[in-house]
Amino acid sequence: MTLLAAVTALVGSLFFALGAALQQFEAAGAPGARGLLALLRRPRWLAGGASILVGGGLHIVALGLGPLTVVQPMGVASLLFALPIAATLHGRRPSRAELGAAGLVAAGLVGLVLLVPESAGPTALSPAGVVTLLAVSGLAAALLWAGSRIASPAGRAALLATSSGVLYGATATLMRVLVDGAWNWWYLLALPVPALLALAMLQRAYAVGHFGVSFASLQIADPLTAVAFGALLLGEPLPTGLAPVAAAALTAAGTVALARTTPLEARP
């Protein structure tokens, strides 16, 4: 069952990577495609969204088949799949330096996901906690968006995708509370707010053109935000020692390297 879980998670990563690459191809540099409503009318962008949903579903199935320590590292492989797919869509081959930088990010992410302690039980969040969750994530996302307006193209892609990752991390935290059953009816109404803002922010990041940078930044910010909110609002433990610091440094170094090696890609 462990092998089946690993294979399922790996296939899920491939679907997730394909979906992200398709959506970035539609968003990058296409006139009038920067708005989410405009992208909703593009079949290839919608196909990318369907592929992402399939990838997410396979990841959930994999979690039911095998341990988290096997499934989560397979999920990180989506970055290594996404770069060649996106490069092919844009009519080029990814360079060795680009793939090497992606490997650094993936290695750091694997370290981080394996070092995070597992939750000891069901989660619960008070209404005040939900307000805090939405306010903190919203403020952080707004500050990152503001910083992106004065950044270089690669920096803009990273900041916008990080903003999206923060909002997706908040969404994931709220979803965990809903799944565990400790919720009020308006929690369900609040859920689409960070999710839709995250989706719109991610398309802005993709539209900049540095896909490797934006996708890596998203993959880093999303789980780290969820871990931070888990510790802040749910009382979950944080990893300790120098190993998490080393893993975080590796992901940061890889992202900087991606910013230097991934070309600006616009739709042909």
Side-chain angles (χ1 to χ4, degrees):
M1 293 294 284
T2 299
L3 178 59
L4 181 59
V7 172
T8 302
L10 200 60
V11 175
S13 294
L14 180 58
F15 273 98
F16 190 83
L18 174 62
L22 286 172
Q23 290 197 332
Q24 190 272 340
F25 182 77
E26 288 299 314
R34 290 175 180 267
L36 185 57
L37 291 178
L39 288 171
L40 287 170
R41 295 192 291 269
R42 294 180 174 269
R44 184 153 37 189
W45 188 89
L46 292 173
S51 185
I52 289 172
L53 289 176
V54 171
L58 288 172
H59 188 78
I60 293 172
V61 171
L63 287 172
L65 295 172
L68 191 69
T69 53
V70 171
V71 174
Q72 290 292 68
M74 296 299 105
V76 172
S78 57
L79 176 61
L80 301 178
F81 290 143
L83 286 180
I85 295 173
T88 300
L89 287 173
H90 287 281
R92 68 176 185 88
R93 288 184 177 182
S95 67
R96 290 183 179 180
E98 191 178 353
L99 292 176
L104 285 179
V105 176
L109 279 172
V110 168
L112 287 173
V113 299
L114 291 180
L115 289 167
V116 174
E118 292 190 37
S119 177
T123 58
L125 195 60
S126 68
V130 173
V131 172
T132 301
L133 173 74
L134 296 177
V136 171
S137 60
L139 178 60
L143 290 174
L144 289 163
W145 170 81
S148 74
R149 297 177 66 85
I150 58 173
S152 65
R156 187 179 311 125
L159 289 171
L160 287 171
T162 301
S163 175
S164 175
V166 167
L167 292 167
Y168 273 132
T171 304
T173 303
L174 190 54
M175 180 66 75
R176 286 182 56 202
V177 174
L178 287 168
V179 169
D180 282 346
W183 58 289
N184 292 326
W185 65 269
W186 64 270
Y187 287 18
L188 193 60
L189 298 179
L191 185 64
V193 176
L196 290 175
L197 288 174
L199 181 61
M201 201 69 72
L202 182 59
Q203 301 315 306
R204 288 181 175 271
Y206 285 165
V208 175
H210 286 277
F211 175 64
V213 178
S214 56
F215 194 63
S217 298
L218 173 69
Q219 285 214 309
I220 295 168
D222 184 352
L224 289 185
T225 300
V227 168
F229 278 132
L232 176 67
L233 299 175
L234 305 178
E236 296 179 345
L238 286 172
T240 58
L242 293 177
V245 177
L250 199 59
T251 60
T255 305
V256 171
L258 272 176
R260 293 176 176 174
T261 57
T262 302
L264 184 67
E265 293 174 319
R267 225 182 126 191

